[in-house]
Amino acid sequence: MGPERRHRPEPAGTAASFGGRRSRRSPGAAHRPYGHEPDDRSGRLPPWRAGTRTQFLAARRPRGLGGEHAGGPQRARLRARSSPKQAGRVNGDEPRPKAWWRISRGRHVSIPHRLIAVAGALGLIALSAHPASAEPRPRKDEWWFPAWEIENAVWPLSKGAGITVGVLDSGVNPHLPELAGVVLKGADTAGGKSNGRKDLDVKEDGHGTTMAIMIAGQGGGSSGFVGIAPEAKILPVHVMSIDVLGPDRVDSDKAIADGIRFAVGKGAKVLNLSFGAGAPGTPDQCSREVRDAVTYAIQHDVVTVAAAGDTGNTNNFAEAPASCPGVLAVGGVDSDLRPWKGTQRQPYVAVAAPASGSVAIGKTGTVYSDAQGTSASAALVSGAVALVRAHNPQMSGRTVVQRLVATALPVSKPVPDKATGYGAIRIARAIDPAKYPVPADAPNPVYDRFDQSQRAAHKAMAATATPASETHRSGSSSISPAIYAALVGLAAVLIGCLAFLWLRHHRLSGAKRNGTKGSLT
């Protein structure tokens, strides 16, 4: 696997990236840059600009959701509701509903922007009046909270308590208020000589910290960012060899593989790998070290989640570890439930999650607006896995992944498609097997591919061992006549010796008898 792709700060006016840790395998390919635009209002995202979420809905009917049955093909046909006061103009004539959509359990709900602003202001007042121990409230731009009905339908069942999420990345800064009390002591398998509780990112100002906040953020700080599984714990593992200079730097594949094994050994139930590099050209598109480590994780009932890649609109190369068998590869969607433009179009993509429309938080607390990338998608799915496993502690990782796939909302046709797999995950359905049962034989492409890879590996091993066995048998049969001849010759010699001794003994005995008789007479 080649060097990990990362993004670096650019002048204001460009967009930050959730998933910049990507690199191409082609010779001479440069790192793909994504910029950061510092928030000019001390941690609060500026109003949505023209050409972002609001424009997505212009003169366009919203997509419906799946039917009432989990994974069902039906899609509700729902209309946008917007009053004349809420309507704008596109190109001077077409009305534009200033609303956004809740995408979860079979419903779309339009919410006027003015109402959002009032509710947000009231929320801030209420939050300031409550003690610090009050339930964290997400930022307004964390649009996946209402989209997934996290606060109303998911958090009453689970907030991720008791689940450890291994964040294999650049390390995590545990001292930010957004991560207070969340980050455990981890490890450094890339040669950085840390315990994971230091973000060593020198290119992006804290990629690992951002991923940890998206999963288990507590609110507060300069961003107020809340993760979808705030009661989960973060196990930070620094695996980014690109952060390390000098002779202590560890090979990338080895660092990742060792990081996976460490996190599994420390009790993590889900691993987040929001990075990638060009996939090997082997049939399973995975290095042997990483493949064996993923196998180790599956054998210990641990789910491995990885970002699909961010160059789907350019080179669209397959990227590992998302391409590895047994890894839940996550593509990206935008807030209009369309494939995010940069998400990789590859057959290994299984599901999708939000990839754009929010912020990134640097390792020192700096807030960068307009963040985008499938790194965020993977982090959100890792948080979803934590939520599902916390509510269903006896459910295997294999079943958790199957439920995420089976209850997903199809985004494009055919299903699965290469950009979003089986669709955008729906946590409220995946977490509740009683209300949304999934058949035991429902598709599970992630583990089906893993099983196929294991069978192919065993078959290859057997095929390699067979010629040696046949050679051994053939050699044994060719030397057998010589052995038999030797045995026959040895037997003949023994028989001859015995016959000689018997005859000699017989003659001596006869002579003695004859001599005795002559003396008596």
Side-chain angles (χ1 to χ4, degrees), residues 140-197:
K140 291 184 294 182
D141 57 287
E142 292 184 77
W143 59 270
W144 43 88
F145 269 83
W148 280 329
E149 293 190 289
I150 297 289
E151 294 175 281
N152 297 328
V154 177
W155 278 1
L157 301 179
S158 170
K159 293 182 181 177
I163 300 298
T164 298
V165 181
V167 176
L168 281 65
D169 210 293
S170 61
V172 174
N173 179 8
H175 305 297
L176 295 181
E178 291 91 336
L179 290 172
V182 169
V183 184
L184 305 174
K185 182 180 179 181
D188 190 323
T189 58
K193 298 182 180 180
S194 74
N195 62 2
R197 288 168 57 88

Side-chain angles (χ1 to χ4, degrees), residues 4-10 16-22 31-36 169-170 199-211 240 242-243 274-276 310 360-364 366 368 372 375:
E4 303 86 358
R5 176 165 302 143
R6 314 177 57 164
H7 57 77
R8 56 178 69 91
E10 292 291 337
S17 170
F18 283 128
R21 289 175 175 268
R22 305 265 181 266
H31 293 298
R32 178 178 173 81
Y34 292 92
H36 292 303
D169 210 293
S170 61
D199 198 321
L200 300 178
D201 190 348
V202 296
K203 297 286 187 180
E204 304 169 22
D205 192 30
H207 191 272
T209 298
T210 294
M211 298 303 104
M240 307 306 293
I242 197 172
D243 295 329
S274 288
F275 57 84
D310 295 345
I361 296 86
K363 59 186 176 183
T364 59
T366 303
Y368 299 99
Q372 55 186 336
S375 283

Side-chain angles (χ1 to χ4, degrees), residues 204-228:
E204 304 169 22
D205 192 30
H207 191 272
T209 298
T210 294
M211 298 303 104
I213 292 174
M214 295 198 74
I215 296 168
Q218 303 296 295
S222 60
S223 70
F225 205 102
V226 177
I228 65 171

